Amino acid sequence: MLRFDPFTDLDAWARSMLSTPAGSERAPRFMPMDLCKIDDHYVLTADLPGVDPGSVDVNVDNGTLTISAHRSARSDESAQWLANERFFGSFRRQLSLGDGVDTSAISATYENGVLTVTIPMAERAKPRKIDVAHGGEHKSIETTTIDAE
């Protein structure tokens, strides 16, 4: 089972909003992601357009999955910006993993600006059928009738 802490994202958002003065370089505000369960694994997809694949880092430590990446700012000094809405800098997202996840088998791919992390369930957490043992053979009960005279 995966657990989600909504305050982690709220804290990161508040920090980024309060620490960047107006008119300065802008830091990323968020890393949009989707998370779903398919059969016996979870699939996390995160949008990271324009991020250098070499800067993408996915790690697990003490039950916490951390995704981080970096998008560099355009360094063209002669550019006269008419619009500058794309964020650059470091992205980071953390999720708490439940006990039912096999952390040693987590895998990740980065393709076309989308990071896909596959998180398999541990064997002990997978649904399974429980066989029901029977207590023995069926015994028939014989009765006798007594004629009342």
Side-chain angles (χ1 to χ4, degrees), residues 70-137:
H70 184 81
R71 180 172 37 211
S72 300
R74 188 173 177 143
S75 60
D76 191 353
E77 299 288 327
S78 64
Q80 181 182 4
W81 294 101
L82 303 176
N84 187 11
E85 298 175 349
R86 297 179 62 215
F87 296 110
F88 54 89
S90 295
F91 294 82
R92 183 175 167 155
R93 190 88 186 246
Q94 291 185 313
L95 283 92
S96 295
L97 302 176
D99 295 333
V101 170
D102 183 1
T103 58
S104 65
I106 293 174
S107 62
T109 58
Y110 180 69
E111 187 176 341
N112 296 325
V114 178
L115 175 69
T116 302
V117 181
T118 303
I119 307 165
M121 292 174 61
E123 278 301 315
R124 68 183 181 278
K126 292 180 182 176
R128 60 188 170 90
K129 181 166 176 52
I130 308 295
D131 291 329
V132 178
H134 299 282
E137 297 179 28

Side-chain angles (χ1 to χ4, degrees), residues 23-88:
S24 69
E25 294 182 352
R26 295 172 321 144
R29 299 287 190 247
F30 60 93
M31 178 190 307
M33 67 167 227
D34 294 328
L35 180 65
C36 65
K37 182 177 181 239
I38 301 173
D39 299 325
D40 62 350
H41 61 279
Y42 300 95
V43 177
L44 180 148
T45 51
D47 289 343
L48 295 169
V51 168
D52 174 22
S55 76
V56 177
D57 183 45
V58 179
N59 66 61
V60 177
D61 184 25
N62 201 23
T64 301
L65 176 72
T66 302
I67 301 169
S68 56
H70 184 81
R71 180 172 37 211
S72 300
R74 188 173 177 143
S75 60
D76 191 353
E77 299 288 327
S78 64
Q80 181 182 4
W81 294 101
L82 303 176
N84 187 11
E85 298 175 349
R86 297 179 62 215
F87 296 110
F88 54 89

Side-chain angles (χ1 to χ4, degrees), residues 5-22:
D5 179 8
F7 297 108
T8 301
D9 291 334
L10 182 62
D11 288 343
W13 176 78
R15 246 189 329 274
S16 67
M17 292 299 288
L18 298 174
S19 65
T20 306

Side-chain angles (χ1 to χ4, degrees), residues 138-144:
H138 293 290
K139 296 181 182 178
S140 58
I141 301 173
E142 293 184 28
T143 60
T144 58

